Amino acid sequence: MEDHQYLLGFIIFLTATLIFVPLTKKLGLGAILGYLMAGLLIGPSILGFFNDVHRILAISEFGVVLFMFLIGLELRPEKLRELRTKMLWLGAPQMLLSVMLGFFLLQLMSHGNSFAFALSMALTLSSTAIGLQVMQERKMAETNAGKGSFAILLFQDLAIIPMLLVVSFLGASHKGSIDHLIDYKSLLRIFMTVAFIIFLGKYFLNYIFRQLAATQLRELFTSISLLLVVGVSLLMESVGLSMAFGSFLAGLLLAESEYRFELETSIEPFKGLLMGLFFTSVGMTIDLSLIINKYEQVFIYGVAAFLFKFGLHFLIGKISGMDKEESTVMALITAPIGEFAFVILKLSHDQSLITQSQLSLCNLVIVSTMVFNPLSLLLYDRVFKKKFNAKKNKSGEKNRLDEQKENPVIVAGFGRLGTVIVRLLHAKKINATVLDTDPKQIEQVKKIGFKAYFGDATRLDMLKLAGAENAKVLLIVVDDTFTAEQIVRLVRVNFPHLKIMARCHGRNDYYALREAGADMIFRDAFLTGLTMGQKLLEILGERASDARKYVHRFKEHDEEMLEQAFFHHHNQEALISLAKRSFSDLDRILNKDEDWVRKEGHWND
């Protein structure tokens, strides 16, 4: 039975989350509160299925790590420049003002300097996990509030190492030994590690991805994606940096890679599962007996901390130029105290800056602010959001998500035909997102100045990442008809708004794609034959204008017959009969037009 203990634990975790998460989502409380409730139920405080909570919490933190990697993948250079400005105007003031005001208020409560400073640093941190989860659920990544929230969260992640050094310094000064803290070798190791990761990402990773893509084995891509994220994160942690920052840096280095979409779809399923495990394990850490004994203190301190951060972040948002609604949403997202506060407080305890009872109480206050987050968002949705919407003018305010420049065209396949079409679009300043599964083709295209991404367009998650929800047209120019048919059926069901243009090789391919739901189908051999036929008629003595008209009539007639044949393509006898009638009709139409040319000296339109 012991051999299956971990499987049993996994079943218990899944069962609890499947009960509570849909329930809280249905009540409008969000998924996070469901995970916390599930963790409280199966943790040591109630049913006691799990006792080694801190080990589970350490594993589940990789959910946050994977989330940060995916965010890094989404950041283009222009977005990063915008984020850098927001970090300067939002992240830095939030950190400084929060620590200063928190330190001042804690001193007023007669706490010592070291305790007040350590605690104020812990409480200034916001929950990266909750912030990212809320932004994902509400599709807020491209809104002003979302960008502002992420700028604050990222700045805090960067500030964690200095904070840990400050806590160590306070502890050392408290013990009277600070000489060992100035460690230039550690700083050099950090610099060398970051430089190594940047070098690896810039010069080697794309080559490795190209070799793996050539195998056409998707599971290898999943393996290298997880190895990359976990390896870089552990490497960063080994030199004292945040794992979340390490994974964000790795994602940032690959943001311009043609394998970005494939990496994202490989990581996504693991991210969701581990994020859920993280929140569940936080719920397991809740000490129910301590809450019962000190519920007044936990509630009062939790509400005070939440309102303090909300008010400060709202004020910073307004000063930075956000409107009232954007500032409110940003403040609600970043008000819960973060998971890294547990680390700061644990180190403070180890350095004898706070007592065990103070540590336990502070941990409960942190969790209480996490619980207040979904409740406050529900209150915002039910009350304040309606008031904000009522104040907007009747013309309506454009959602920031709609303002992002989404490519209107997605091209599946980038062979010779796709290259011609993308060149035409490029000349007209129309951007297209190109997907292809041939790494050699992607590399060749890259050399001539175009951008294509490694990705399989038969996958729903890949099409979503490529922007199918906002695009206008999907152009399918893959060589394999079966693959093209798969893509058409997938898109027709999930993105009915998309116009589907597809190439095919012959009549049977046309029937298959037409039946699957393609809007426009182009037979490449047919169109090439018409062009060559027109030139042949001119060589044989026809005037260019007459040859063009002949070909036009021929094309119209063939397309009309093809459409009629589609409704009978499963009936061989009907097709043969239609083909015979088509030949006689074509002779009659063209001969009639030729008689007009001879008689009138010009073409009859």
Side-chain angles (χ1 to χ4, degrees):
M1 186 67 182
E2 289 182 1
D3 294 339
H4 302 290
Q5 186 177 0
Y6 289 108
L7 287 176
L8 181 61
F10 193 60
I11 290 172
I12 292 169
F13 158 70
L14 291 176
T15 304
T17 55
L18 285 172
I19 293 171
F20 283 100
V21 175
L23 179 63
T24 54
K25 285 282 285 184
K26 191 172 183 179
L27 295 173
L29 298 172
I32 294 171
L33 187 59
Y35 285 120
L36 292 173
M37 291 172 63
L40 176 62
L41 177 69
I42 62 180
S45 291
I46 300 181
L47 297 180
F49 287 121
F50 298 92
N51 293 312
D52 195 359
V53 175
H54 293 289
R55 185 179 178 185
I56 296 171
L57 187 62
I59 296 171
S60 63
E61 280 179 4
F62 276 105
V64 183
V65 167
L66 294 176
F67 217 143
M68 291 297 287
F69 176 74
L70 294 177
I71 286 175
L73 279 178
E74 289 294 325
L75 288 179
R76 305 289 185 282
E78 61 274 10
K79 280 189 177 182
L80 192 58
R81 283 191 291 270
E82 181 185 358
L83 187 62
R84 184 175 58 193
T85 304
K86 287 189 177 293
M87 286 174 66
L88 182 64
W89 289 101
L90 292 170
Q94 180 272 335
M95 180 69 68
L96 292 173
L97 288 174
S98 189
V99 171
M100 289 168 59
L101 290 174
F103 177 74
F104 176 72
L105 291 173
L106 287 168
Q107 277 205 317
L108 289 180
M109 296 168 66
S110 301
H111 291 295
N113 289 343
S114 296
F115 174 85
F117 201 67
L119 189 57
S120 63
M121 284 193 298
L123 300 184
T124 195
L125 295 172
S126 300
S127 174
T128 302
I130 288 180
L132 297 178
Q133 183 76 12
V134 169
M135 283 190 280
Q136 184 189 43
E137 284 182 4
R138 294 172 175 254
K139 296 181 171 58
M140 294 174 55
E142 292 300 325
T143 64
N144 259 357
K147 291 176 181 177
S149 301
F150 183 67
I152 288 175
L153 295 172
L154 183 57
F155 188 89
Q156 291 177 356
D157 274 346
L158 295 175
I160 287 168
I161 300 305
M163 281 184 168
L164 292 174
L165 290 174
V166 169
V167 171
S168 299
F169 181 86
L170 291 173
S173 62
H174 185 69
K175 298 171 185 175
S177 58
I178 63 171
D179 296 337
H180 69 284
L181 287 176
I182 304 174
D183 187 357
Y184 296 106
K185 289 183 179 179
S186 296
L187 294 176
L188 181 62
R189 277 200 303 271
I190 291 172
F191 175 79
M192 294 296 292
T193 302
V194 172
F196 170 72
I197 292 171
I198 293 173
F199 180 78
L200 183 71
K202 194 166 185 179
Y203 296 104
F204 287 101
L205 285 180
N206 269 339
Y207 173 77
I208 295 171
F209 293 146
R210 194 156 52 246
Q211 300 306 312
L212 290 174
T215 67
Q216 298 291 308
L217 294 174
R218 190 178 299 166
E219 59 270 22
L220 290 182
F221 238 102
T222 303
S223 301
I224 191 65
S225 301
L226 290 172
L227 177 62
L228 172 67
V229 177
V230 175
V232 169
S233 301
L234 291 177
L235 188 61
M236 283 295 199
E237 189 185 41
S238 69
V239 295
L241 290 174
S242 157
M243 285 198 299
F245 173 69
S247 63
F248 173 76
L249 179 61
L252 198 61
L253 291 171
L254 294 168
E256 289 295 300
S257 169
E258 53 267 33
Y259 300 97
R260 179 169 67 89
F261 288 150
E262 187 68 28
L263 286 167
E264 201 162 342
T265 53
S266 298
I267 290 289
E268 184 71 30
F270 298 95
K271 181 266 298 181
L273 184 64
L274 287 171
M275 283 290 283
L277 181 59
F278 172 80
F279 291 120
T280 305
S281 57
V282 169
M284 293 179 196
T285 64
I286 298 174
D287 188 341
L288 202 57
S289 61
L290 187 59
I291 291 179
I292 293 171
N293 293 330
K294 297 187 176 182
Y295 68 92
E296 289 183 349
Q297 283 180 285
V298 172
F299 181 77
I300 291 171
Y301 289 155
V303 170
F306 191 90
L307 292 178
F308 168 75
K309 293 188 70 176
F310 172 82
L312 180 62
H313 296 183
F314 176 85
L315 181 63
I316 291 171
K318 287 291 290 178
I319 293 172
S320 70
M322 292 185 183
D323 62 30
K324 192 176 289 186
E325 181 179 9
E326 292 167 341
S327 300
T328 301
V329 174
M330 184 191 76
L332 288 173
I333 291 174
T334 55
I337 301 171
E339 49 279 352
F340 286 113
F342 293 122
V343 179
I344 298 286
L345 291 172
K346 178 66 167 59
L347 181 61
S348 300
H349 173 261
D350 293 342
Q351 296 290 338
S352 303
L353 299 177
I354 62 174
T355 63
Q356 180 60 49
S357 61
Q358 288 172 329
L359 175 64
S360 300
L361 181 61
C362 287
N363 284 343
L364 281 178
V365 170
I366 292 170
V367 174
S368 71
T369 63
M370 292 180 174
V371 173
F372 293 150
N373 174 261
L375 298 175
S376 63
L377 286 169
L378 179 64
L379 180 66
Y380 165 78
D381 288 336
R382 297 287 172 87
V383 181
F384 296 102
K385 192 174 183 178
K386 294 178 181 178
K387 292 183 179 180
F388 286 132
N389 289 338
K391 291 180 182 179
K392 290 179 181 177
N393 55 45
K394 292 182 180 179
S395 62
E397 188 178 300
K398 238 185 178 183
N399 191 305
R400 298 308 189 279
L401 188 60
D402 297 330
E403 290 177 2
Q404 62 178 331
K405 293 181 179 178
E406 296 287 353
N407 293 342
V409 180
I410 299 173
V411 181
F414 202 42
R416 289 167 294 180
L417 181 57
T419 305
V420 172
I421 296 169
V422 171
R423 282 172 56 201
L424 175 63
L425 293 174
H426 184 71
K428 290 290 292 178
K429 302 292 189 293
I430 299 173
N431 292 326
T433 301
V434 182
L435 299 175
D436 202 290
T437 55
D438 184 355
K440 292 180 181 177
Q441 183 65 33
I442 291 171
E443 194 63 24
Q444 189 63 32
V445 165
K446 191 176 177 182
K447 291 177 182 176
I448 61 175
F450 291 106
K451 186 72 174 177
Y453 293 98
F454 180 82
D456 184 358
T458 62
R459 294 171 60 183
L460 178 61
D461 51 0
M462 184 65 69
L463 289 171
K464 285 182 177 179
L465 284 173
E469 291 171 324
N470 299 312
K472 296 178 181 178
V473 182
L474 172 67
L475 184 66
I476 303 174
V477 288
V478 295
D479 287 325
D480 181 47
T481 304
F482 179 71
T483 301
E485 187 182 346
Q486 279 185 295
I487 297 170
V488 172
R489 292 187 186 280
L490 181 69
V491 170
R492 189 48 66 221
V493 171
N494 294 282
F495 311 104
H497 69 284
L498 268 182
K499 283 283 184 186
I500 303 175
M501 299 173 67
R503 66 91 72 92
C504 69
H505 302 298
R507 288 175 177 265
N508 289 332
D509 295 346
Y510 176 92
Y511 299 146
L513 293 172
R514 176 84 163 74
E515 199 167 41
D519 296 296
M520 289 169 274
I521 306 166
F522 302 88
R523 293 170 287 160
D524 48 8
F526 177 70
L527 296 174
T528 303
L530 290 179
T531 304
M532 293 178 69
Q534 180 181 326
K535 291 298 180 184
L536 179 60
L537 290 176
E538 292 175 21
I539 292 171
L540 295 174
E542 292 286 348
R543 288 188 302 180
S545 59
D546 291 344
R548 187 166 58 251
K549 298 289 187 178
Y550 276 123
V551 169
H552 178 68
R553 286 291 171 87
F554 180 89
K555 181 174 180 288
E556 279 186 336
H557 175 75
D558 190 84
E559 288 176 344
E560 183 183 338
M561 289 297 103
L562 183 64
E563 189 62 19
Q564 289 183 32
F566 168 70
F567 297 102
H568 306 285
H569 71 277
H570 293 299
N571 187 334
Q572 193 65 28
E573 291 183 5
L575 279 178
I576 293 172
S577 174
L578 190 63
K580 289 178 179 178
R581 181 161 61 86
S582 172
F583 285 133
S584 62
D585 288 347
L586 183 62
D587 286 341
R588 179 174 49 80
I589 292 169
L590 293 183
N591 288 331
K592 181 181 177 182
D593 288 332
E594 191 172 352
D595 290 341
W596 266 96
V597 172
R598 292 197 192 100
K599 183 177 178 181
E600 302 293 333
H602 60 84
W603 192 273
N604 172 39
D605 286 321

